[in-house]
Amino acid sequence: MLWEVFVRSKRGLSHTHVGSLHAADAHLALRNARDLYTRRQEGVSIWVVPAADIVASSPDEKDAFFDPAGDKVYRHPTFYDVPEGLTHL
Amino acid sequence: MSTATYAIRLGDDCLILGQRLCEWAARAPELEEDVALLNIALDQLGAARTLLTYGGSFDGRDEDTLAFLRDEREFTNALLMELDNGDFGRTMARQLLVAAYQLPLWEALSSSADETLAGIAGKAVKEVAYHLDHASSWVIRLGDGTHESHTRMQVGLDEVWPYAFELFEVDAVLEDLVRAGVAADPSVLEQAWLATVSGVVKEATLELPSSDWRPTGGRAGRHTETFGYLLAELQHVHRSHPGASW
């Protein structure tokens, strides 16, 4: 069974995907993750998630999903001029 | 027995077990387990280095001299540590017996009257807590698994079991060290060990072996037949190329 591994590198940061591994169940997956991905002090917390349970966007839908955001520059704060003299933004 | 002898005994235990575990490299049941076993081997090697460095410091021998230039009869590890790995079940049985001993050992030595030993033990205690978790998980999983895994787990446990009791042997001078608060009391360790092992064995639906055979001799340098091959692999590079470094 394939598991995806997420590691939080320190308190205050989010868990980040670091890789995957094989394990028979959650108990072993967590221990394998500890042995494979935190050997060099990479983490203070681990999540393991069955890879089959992750719902992912499809590469086929990439255009419809992501391209429309490409020409919407006004969605970025840098699009707007900051009035002079404004100090608390 | 001096503190030096005691430290070298404990260091030899860690060194030889670590070397045995290394034989699983690239041969474990799965890639993930390969790394897990080698992590444990490295923990043992790390403890061995500090213990041998300390033990050798009393008469001016460094860790390399002790690890690479002693012959079979000069090694004082318990026989349990050098036993052939056998199948994965037998290795896990040995790991369980060792970790259930080392955990109370390092806990007790954390408050040793000898400050150096206490420091070494304080670091090792967290490592071996994980070793015990790892071995217990596998013994329970295999023991309470299929007919095949249960049978092999029981065979492995039966084979290594008699060798565990050498760990709790006492001689007059070890008694002195215990009385001085330097060494851990073997009889106390044995009680803690038996309680831990019994609990895991029961949960694993296995039977505690009933054999009363008690092989011994490791502390006096009398080792099992395959120990020489282990030493040859451990020592040959250092002996073939004295002083080599990379």
Side-chain angles (χ1 to χ4, degrees), chain A residues 2 20-28 30-37 39, chain B residues 30-33 35-39 42-43 126-127 130 133-134 137-138 141:
Chain A
L2 190 65
S20 55
L21 54 79
H22 290 94
D25 59 25
H27 179 91
L28 274 178
L30 206 50
R31 278 151 186 78
N32 285 346
R34 178 263 191 195
D35 284 325
L36 289 172
Y37 293 111
R39 305 178 73 224
Chain B
E30 54 191 12
L31 179 64
E32 288 81 356
E33 191 54 37
V35 181
L37 286 169
L38 271 291
N39 280 346
L42 280 173
D43 287 345
K126 280 186 197 169
E127 295 173 347
Y130 186 79
D133 177 275
H134 174 265
S137 296
W138 274 115
R141 184 175 297 270

Side-chain angles (χ1 to χ4, degrees), chain B residues 177-195:
Chain B
L177 280 182
V178 171
R179 209 171 297 123
V182 172
D185 185 343
S187 62
V188 175
L189 296 182
E190 185 169 1
Q191 286 174 16
W193 173 82
L194 189 59

Side-chain angles (χ1 to χ4, degrees), chain A residues 1-5 17 19-27 29 48-51:
Chain A
M1 187 169 169
L2 190 65
W3 299 75
E4 299 298 333
V5 182
H17 184 241
S20 55
L21 54 79
H22 290 94
D25 59 25
H27 179 91
V48 288
V49 181

Side-chain angles (χ1 to χ4, degrees), chain B residues 153-171:
Chain B
M153 197 60 242
Q154 184 69 58
V155 169
L157 183 62
D158 290 347
E159 287 172 352
V160 300
W161 177 262
Y163 292 88
F165 296 88
E166 187 185 10
L167 298 170
F168 309 112
E169 286 177 356
V170 188
D171 52 32

Side-chain angles (χ1 to χ4, degrees), chain B residues 220-236:
Chain B
R222 295 191 304 276
H223 293 279
T224 58
E225 191 176 338
T226 57
F227 186 58
Y229 296 95
L230 179 149
L231 273 195
E233 196 162 296
L234 173 69
Q235 298 182 334
H236 84 88

